[in-house]
Amino acid sequence: MNYAEALGLARFITSTGISIDEAVDNPVIPSDFRKRIRLVLEEEKTIILRPASMLTDDKDYVEWLSKQDRSGWYYWPTLRQYILTTKGWPNPSVQSLDKETDRILARLPQPNGTNPFDKKGLVLGYVQSGKTSNYTALIAKAADSGYRLIIVLSGIDNGLRLQTHRRLKREIVGTTKGKYVPLPPIGKQWFEFTREELDGDFDPGFTNNAALQGSQPVLLVVKKNGFVLRRLLKWLKSAPKEVMQTIPLIVIDDEADLASIDTRGSYQPKSDEIPENYEDPSVINELIRDLLNRFNRKVYIAYTATPFANILIPHDNYDPNVSDDLYPKNFMVDLPKPSGYFGAEELFGRMDDISEDSIEGMDVIRNISDEDLIELQESKLPPAIERAILSFILAGAARKCRSEEDFPATMLIHISFRINDQLQIYAAVDKKFTELRDEWRYDRNNGILKRFQSLWEEDFQPVTEQLHPNKVIDFAKLEQYIGTFFESIQIRTINSATGEVLDYEAEPTLKTIAIGGNKLSRGLTLEGLLVSVFVRRTVMYDTLMQMGRWFGFRFGYEDLTRIYTTAELADWFRDLAFVEHQLRNDLQVFEEQLLTPLEVGMRIKTHPQMQVTSRLKRRYASETTIAQSYSEHIEQTFKFPLNKLGDLAYQADQNLNLVKDFLSNLGEPKMYKKGPLWSEVPAQKIVEFLNKYVTDEGARNISLPLISSYIEKQVSKNELIKWTIAVCGRESLDSNLGEVDWGLKTKIRQISRTRLGDSESLGVITSPGDESIGLSKEEIKKVNEISKEENIAENKAARKVRSPKEGLILIYPISRHSTPIKSKGIMRHTLYANSNSPNARDLIGIAISFPRSEHPQPVEAFLEGTISWRPVE
């Protein structure tokens, strides 16, 4: 018994209620592993997962699951044991899976009986987060409860269908091969009408619909393809009518926002008369609805991590031939984020514009410059790609050094969806990789060894020190693992032209550089993904998020992962982390209010440069401005074009001249500890200043034209008529940061603000207490009282206290020589590689603090479906 097997067994023993001490001391656990296992089990006790949020329709709901006798259940107990002992899940994660699938199953109708039912729901997960595990467990429990026919719609190509089929075969159906779930006993074995082969999709030549009349469960794993679905419908049509009326069906639609959404049909409520120009639904949507329409007792469950198109389905759309559309009218479930999962928020960070909560991402994002991008688009390899290849080799060697067992390792290169581009990139990568490998084999002391060492010590070691200090490896120790990992790497192009595949089942320790496009952009799991090169630009929320194959479980080696991408795409992923966060927050609020899916409309925050989903999928959605305002908000400039120094130099010079001119016309300032301060500045001067201040074109978080418009509206209501202006420099001079002359009687002492990793963001530029500037002693006393009473930050309290008639602008003089301070898990970078380069500039950031308004104005745009979003009272 190896360590992993011993740990799995200990987990299973504790899951039965036995204490950790008794489990670890059990004679079946090898004594050499007991100390390590005890530490792991104690640590896992601290894992707390939030429960799933769930909106439900209680119409016709009957509680039945809690009355079931589970002693006769087979499929779920067997799967649960496999997950604990073989897959090595922590007990809290298995308990969470058990609880959440129970909640979903309980919302489905009881399968036993003859009463007709028609339920539709949506399960929202995270990209690469274990949605398959959820519906696998749900299928097992559904089969135990009496559901007889399970149809899984899995992707649109053979590779994804096979991946899903293989997973369900290993974990539910059972097999005699490998350490998987065993075949069930006679009487409980599954009928499978699709096969574990690349071309093993549904074919009536391998089936017999007489199986639908028996007591054993039936499983079909089918891709969303018109030809295959028509074959399935034709086969079902030949089944006895009484079977179609009585058999309980569950359709699991995996990646339900892909292909399943109607992109053609007319919007037609059931109660309305069908017009002459009525348009039929699009092919796959119509076939799925036709499939459901043939059964009297059916459940449709959509699984996706990008539900934007699904929640924009018209909720009352109806077709006379295939009935209701696929809107999740009966339940919506937001699964909890699994322990050890790394998503957009963890990797790229998130800035919440409303609550001002800022989450900094990990220091694993590496920038691909505009110059590098041009070379890639010409199928050339810039230095950044060579660095990425070397990073992959170092990361793989480090995992080899750390790991007792072999493992799969993948590098993703996703440049273009065009096959010809992929083939050209393959040729360039293959050539460069061969050169690097030969240099390592035959001439390593002539440069490549030094490049490896520099990259390891300058890029990898600092990140590991932040995240896993006990896992730092000296290069001298690492060096002995580089060669063997180097030699094991294969380069593959994954597209329809080459026919190459990534089959980690057949090659469980595959080490590969995978070059591709659409086949690597959704659903397919890249095992052991260490390094990603991703520059494919798409403006669709759902498409971009799904292309992030690096999302998932990297715990224990997340410090070794690297994502090479453009600053624009990194910013977009950061923005999408906020969109995702807000959507889930709304679900939690609606759940607390006991609202149903048909009573709420989900809002999706729009973006100035991206689209929520394709035009056809959102053709019946509407863009609306929701009544939220800048009241009690702060807006600040924390994004600068730091990777485009020419643009930055222009912007910084323009803003410097603007600030000098603006401040010189405000009169004599007062002086406070951080610099000069002006009060009673009329609103018109503020609007003129904001209209001239230059922000980064890619900055989504702030819109100065919208702010200026808001100020003008508030002035008409006798608010924001006067302003306080304060320069927020250092209280004392730092010789490294320096001071600058803005044409005032005193020089301005500059402050330090650094960038988040390789991004172009500085994060929050304000400091605690800054928004109290200009308040009287009595007002500051009130700020402190509110801060304590309401347990909120001092800056937020200041906005509640400041008069609605007065606004505040804070100006931050940021030194080009700013020096980062390291913190746990986060690494800040200097503003410039060389702060003395010709285009490096000191920066001027501004923050605009708005007091509470008695007349709030709407400022934010959202996309809504046919059910309007509403704030909850």
Side-chain angles (χ1 to χ4, degrees):
M1 182 183 296
N2 61 32
Y3 169 73
E5 292 171 334
L7 176 59
L9 181 57
R11 282 174 170 146
F12 179 71
I13 294 171
T14 57
S15 75
T16 64
I18 294 174
S19 69
I20 290 176
D21 287 340
E22 288 179 284
V24 172
D25 292 334
N26 191 300
V28 298
I29 303 297
S31 58
D32 293 349
F33 300 145
R34 289 177 182 174
K35 184 176 180 181
R36 290 171 62 190
I37 290 174
R38 189 187 305 276
L39 290 173
V40 170
L41 295 180
E42 290 290 352
E43 185 177 340
E44 288 177 356
K45 283 174 60 179
T46 65
I47 297 175
I48 299 176
L49 297 175
R50 73 165 178 84
S53 300
M54 180 179 285
L55 306 185
T56 62
D57 174 13
D58 284 331
K59 181 182 178 183
D60 302 326
Y61 174 68
V62 176
E63 173 57 48
W64 62 274
L65 184 60
S66 62
K67 301 172 185 177
Q68 282 244 322
D69 178 8
R70 300 197 185 199
S71 62
W73 279 23
Y74 172 83
Y75 304 108
W76 166 243
T78 306
L79 173 60
R80 176 179 176 274
Q81 181 173 348
Y82 169 75
I83 293 172
L84 281 165
T85 58
T86 303
K87 297 194 75 172
W89 280 35
N91 264 314
S93 298
V94 179
Q95 290 165 3
S96 175
L97 177 65
D98 193 4
K99 183 185 300 182
E100 305 315 339
T101 48
D102 262 9
R103 291 185 69 195
I104 298 171
L105 183 62
R107 305 313 304 185
L108 310 187
Q110 185 172 9
N112 299 327
T114 59
N115 292 335
F117 54 78
D118 178 11
K119 298 292 182 181
K120 293 185 177 72
L122 169 71
V123 178
L124 169 60
Y126 293 83
V127 177
Q128 300 273 91
S129 68
K131 297 184 298 299
T132 307
S133 295
N134 186 275
Y135 71 68
T136 300
L138 181 64
I139 290 171
K141 291 183 176 183
D144 279 324
S145 301
Y147 276 93
R148 292 266 327 289
L149 176 58
I150 312 293
I151 300 175
V152 179
L153 304 175
S154 179
I156 59 175
D157 63 58
N158 288 330
L160 286 179
R161 193 212 70 83
L162 176 60
Q163 178 179 277
T164 304
H165 187 115
R166 184 173 278 158
R167 175 82 173 267
L168 295 175
K169 176 81 171 180
R170 305 294 197 263
E171 300 188 3
I172 294 182
V173 175
T175 176
T176 57
K177 301 175 183 178
K179 297 180 179 179
Y180 302 108
V181 168
L183 284 173
I186 300 298
K188 290 189 175 294
Q189 294 185 1
W190 289 76
F191 286 106
E192 295 179 273
F193 292 157
T194 51
R195 292 164 291 126
E196 191 185 342
E197 299 170 11
L198 195 61
D199 59 350
D201 214 329
F202 179 79
D203 185 337
F206 292 90
T207 65
N208 183 344
N209 61 32
L212 298 178
Q213 303 174 55
S215 61
Q216 293 169 233
V218 178
L219 174 68
L220 296 91
V221 183
V222 181
K223 66 176 176 287
K224 288 183 266 190
N225 173 278
F227 183 66
V228 174
L229 290 173
R230 288 189 189 96
R231 281 193 315 215
L232 174 59
L233 287 168
K234 184 178 180 180
W235 178 75
L236 289 171
K237 189 176 181 180
S238 66
K241 185 177 179 180
E242 59 270 19
V243 171
M244 305 301 289
Q245 291 177 339
T246 59
I247 190 170
L249 163 75
I250 293 181
V251 173
I252 302 288
D253 190 349
D254 194 12
E255 306 290 348
D257 60 310
L258 177 67
S260 304
I261 306 299
D262 182 12
T263 57
R264 189 183 71 189
S266 301
Y267 175 29
Q268 180 64 42
K270 185 175 183 178
S271 57
D272 293 356
E273 185 178 340
I274 306 298
E276 290 184 6
N277 62 348
Y278 177 76
E279 193 75 33
D280 290 331
S282 53
V283 172
I284 301 301
N285 175 268
E286 183 175 25
L287 290 170
I288 294 173
R289 290 160 72 179
D290 190 5
L291 169 66
L292 294 167
N293 201 39
R294 295 182 185 224
F295 292 82
N296 279 9
R297 314 178 73 234
K298 69 263 189 172
V299 175
Y300 169 85
I301 308 177
Y303 274 78
T304 181
T306 47
F308 311 116
N310 302 83
I311 61 180
L312 295 176
I313 295 171
H315 68 290
D316 55 353
N317 199 26
Y318 179 82
D319 180 271
N321 296 315
V322 291
S323 192
D324 299 335
D325 207 341
L326 302 178
Y327 182 80
K329 61 183 180 179
N330 300 110
F331 60 89
M332 294 181 180
V333 181
D334 169 26
L335 297 177
K337 185 178 292 185
S339 174
Y341 174 75
F342 294 89
E345 183 175 288
E346 288 75 19
L347 294 172
F348 293 92
R350 168 174 61 81
M351 178 63 187
D352 189 331
D353 298 339
I354 306 304
S355 70
E356 299 156 41
D357 294 332
S358 177
I359 295 177
E360 298 184 353
M362 293 167 53
D363 185 29
V364 297
I365 315 300
R366 299 294 176 263
N367 182 60
I368 291 180
S369 67
D370 289 349
E371 294 79 9
D372 291 341
L373 184 58
I374 291 170
E375 288 195 49
L376 279 172
Q377 290 168 343
E378 295 173 350
S379 299
K380 300 175 183 176
L381 291 192
I385 306 306
E386 178 178 333
R387 184 181 177 91
I389 294 172
L390 296 177
S391 295
F392 176 52
I393 295 161
L394 285 171
R399 280 207 73 189
K400 222 168 176 52
C401 181
R402 292 178 182 179
S403 179
E404 297 177 2
E405 299 180 6
D406 208 351
F407 54 87
T410 309
M411 175 178 176
L412 165 68
I413 299 181
H414 190 155
I415 309 296
S416 169
F417 70 92
R418 297 183 183 88
I419 291 177
N420 189 54
D421 294 344
Q422 295 164 24
L423 295 175
Q424 291 184 47
I425 286 291
Y426 167 81
V429 170
D430 187 57
K431 182 175 182 294
K432 173 56 68 176
F433 180 81
T434 301
E435 291 173 356
L436 292 171
R437 188 186 58 200
D438 286 349
E439 188 178 353
W440 179 259
R441 283 174 175 175
Y442 310 120
D443 199 18
R444 72 178 62 175
N445 293 320
N446 201 29
I448 192 171
L449 181 64
K450 188 174 182 180
R451 295 204 303 280
F452 269 133
Q453 183 171 359
S454 297
L455 182 58
W456 180 253
E457 293 176 350
E458 294 171 8
D459 190 341
F460 282 86
Q461 281 188 338
V463 177
T464 303
E465 285 173 358
Q466 293 294 313
L467 296 173
H468 298 296
N470 61 323
K471 292 187 177 181
V472 176
I473 304 169
D474 289 334
F475 183 76
K477 182 178 179 182
L478 180 71
E479 184 182 346
Q480 61 184 301
Y481 295 93
I482 292 176
T484 52
F485 186 78
F486 222 147
E487 297 294 335
S488 65
I489 296 171
Q490 303 176 35
I491 304 175
R492 295 184 181 178
T493 310
I494 312 300
N495 56 43
S496 57
T498 66
E500 292 187 298
V501 296
L502 298 178
D503 188 343
Y504 297 99
E505 288 285 341
E507 302 175 273
T509 61
L510 176 65
K511 316 288 191 297
T512 184
I513 297 176
I515 301 165
N518 289 345
K519 283 186 177 290
L520 297 179
S521 65
R522 180 187 277 264
L524 190 65
T525 300
L526 303 181
E527 299 289 350
L529 183 60
L530 291 170
V531 175
S532 300
V533 177
F534 179 79
V535 298
R536 181 174 166 187
R537 191 178 187 273
T538 175
V539 297
M540 305 298 173
Y541 287 15
D542 42 14
T543 305
L544 186 61
M545 282 294 283
Q546 288 288 353
M547 286 183 183
R549 296 294 90 195
W550 48 79
F551 298 136
F553 299 91
R554 304 284 182 268
F555 189 71
Y557 64 93
E558 71 273 20
D559 58 311
L560 302 176
T561 61
R562 294 292 181 270
I563 302 169
Y564 285 77
T565 190
T566 64
E568 177 185 57
L569 287 172
D571 284 338
W572 286 5
F573 277 112
R574 191 175 298 110
D575 294 338
L576 289 179
F578 172 68
V579 172
E580 184 178 62
H581 172 76
Q582 185 179 59
L583 189 68
R584 294 173 188 278
N585 272 1
D586 281 353
L587 272 169
Q588 291 177 39
V589 171
F590 293 147
E591 180 189 32
E592 291 170 2
Q593 298 296 319
L594 303 178
L595 300 177
T596 74
L598 287 176
E599 290 176 328
V600 301
M602 303 303 296
R603 58 177 178 173
I604 307 168
K605 191 165 181 10
T606 57
H607 190 283
Q609 295 167 294
M610 288 192 286
Q611 299 294 328
V612 171
T613 188
S614 74
R615 179 180 59 82
L616 292 174
K617 290 181 181 179
R618 57 181 167 85
R619 66 197 189 284
Y620 297 121
S622 58
E623 189 164 312
T624 186
T625 301
I626 294 172
Q628 296 181 352
S629 81
Y630 287 116
S631 175
E632 293 188 53
H633 287 188
I634 185 167
E635 299 293 311
Q636 49 189 310
T637 58
F638 51 73
K639 185 177 182 299
F640 298 85
L642 294 165
N643 293 327
K644 302 175 182 177
L645 291 187
D647 294 350
L648 179 129
Y650 171 80
Q651 174 183 316
D653 291 345
Q654 291 290 106
N655 287 339
L656 177 61
N657 292 332
L658 171 66
V659 167
K660 286 182 176 180
D661 182 62
F662 174 60
L663 297 182
S664 66
N665 288 305
L666 296 182
E668 192 70 25
K670 299 176 184 176
M671 296 301 298
Y672 78 116
K673 58 185 179 181
K674 291 187 176 183
L677 178 148
W678 295 261
S679 56
E680 304 287 335
V681 178
Q684 188 55 40
K685 286 195 173 185
I686 303 302
V687 171
E688 291 173 359
F689 170 70
L690 295 179
N691 286 340
K692 294 178 182 178
Y693 183 91
V694 183
T695 60
D696 183 9
E697 290 182 357
R700 179 201 59 80
N701 68 295
I702 188 168
S703 171
L704 294 183
L706 200 60
I707 290 173
S708 296
S709 175
Y710 175 78
I711 293 172
E712 289 172 337
K713 288 180 182 178
Q714 298 308 101
V715 168
S716 70
K717 299 179 182 298
N718 201 34
E719 291 189 350
L720 299 180
I721 56 177
K722 58 183 180 179
W723 287 73
T724 296
I725 313 295
V727 176
C728 296
R730 279 182 58 85
E731 295 184 22
S732 59
L733 177 65
D734 182 309
S735 58
N736 183 55
L737 299 176
E739 55 186 2
V740 287
D741 185 355
W742 284 359
L744 304 171
K745 288 186 177 180
T746 181
K747 289 186 177 181
I748 306 299
R749 299 180 294 272
Q750 295 199 112
I751 63 172
S752 177
R753 294 290 186 270
T754 51
R755 62 199 288 187
L756 298 173
D758 268 2
S759 76
E760 297 184 304
S761 174
L762 310 186
V764 177
I765 63 172
T766 57
S767 296
D770 282 356
E771 293 180 68
S772 294
I773 292 171
L775 297 179
S776 66
K777 290 182 179 179
E778 291 75 14
E779 288 173 324
I780 290 176
K781 182 179 178 182
K782 192 171 182 180
V783 166
N784 293 331
E785 291 172 354
I786 291 175
S787 178
K788 291 178 181 178
E789 288 173 3
E790 300 186 17
N791 192 28
I792 59 175
E794 185 180 335
N795 280 340
K796 289 186 178 181
R799 287 171 234 154
K800 294 177 178 289
V801 171
R802 193 178 297 274
S803 166
K805 295 186 176 183
E806 181 184 351
L808 172 67
I809 287 188
L810 305 169
I811 302 177
Y812 291 87
I814 301 169
S815 172
R816 74 186 76 183
H817 304 293
S818 296
T819 304
I821 299 175
K822 296 180 181 180
S823 59
K824 175 66 176 175
I826 303 297
M827 283 194 64
R828 291 267 182 170
H829 289 187
T830 57
L831 298 181
Y832 311 102
N834 178 10
S835 59
N836 293 314
S837 65
N839 282 329
R841 294 289 191 277
D842 298 320
L843 304 177
I844 298 177
I846 62 171
I848 310 160
S849 175
F850 294 96
R852 172 182 289 170
S853 171
E854 297 174 1
H855 308 282
Q857 302 293 318
V859 297
E860 289 194 279
F862 292 85
L863 200 66
E864 298 178 330
T866 50
I867 307 175
S868 296
W869 180 86
R870 64 176 183 179
V872 178
E873 294 84 6

XYZ file of all heavy atoms in Angstrom, residues 213 583 694 734:
32
model
N -37.767 -1.133 -21.003
C -38.926 -1.707 -20.302
C -38.516 -2.474 -19.048
O -39.378 -2.936 -18.299
C -39.685 -2.632 -21.258
C -40.144 -1.943 -22.526
C -40.764 -2.899 -23.519
O -41.712 -3.626 -23.188
N -40.243 -2.926 -24.741
N -22.970 38.103 -9.989
C -24.055 37.194 -10.355
C -24.359 36.225 -9.213
O -25.520 35.993 -8.853
C -23.651 36.426 -11.615
C -24.715 35.573 -12.296
C -25.806 36.443 -12.903
C -24.077 34.710 -13.379
N -6.669 62.488 -18.629
C -6.560 61.367 -19.556
C -6.451 60.062 -18.769
O -5.523 59.890 -17.965
C -5.335 61.517 -20.480
C -5.291 60.358 -21.484
C -5.380 62.851 -21.210
N 10.963 60.972 1.138
C 11.731 59.754 0.913
C 12.663 60.054 -0.251
O 12.203 60.305 -1.373
C 10.795 58.592 0.583
C 11.534 57.268 0.385
O 12.504 57.243 -0.395
O 11.124 56.261 0.988
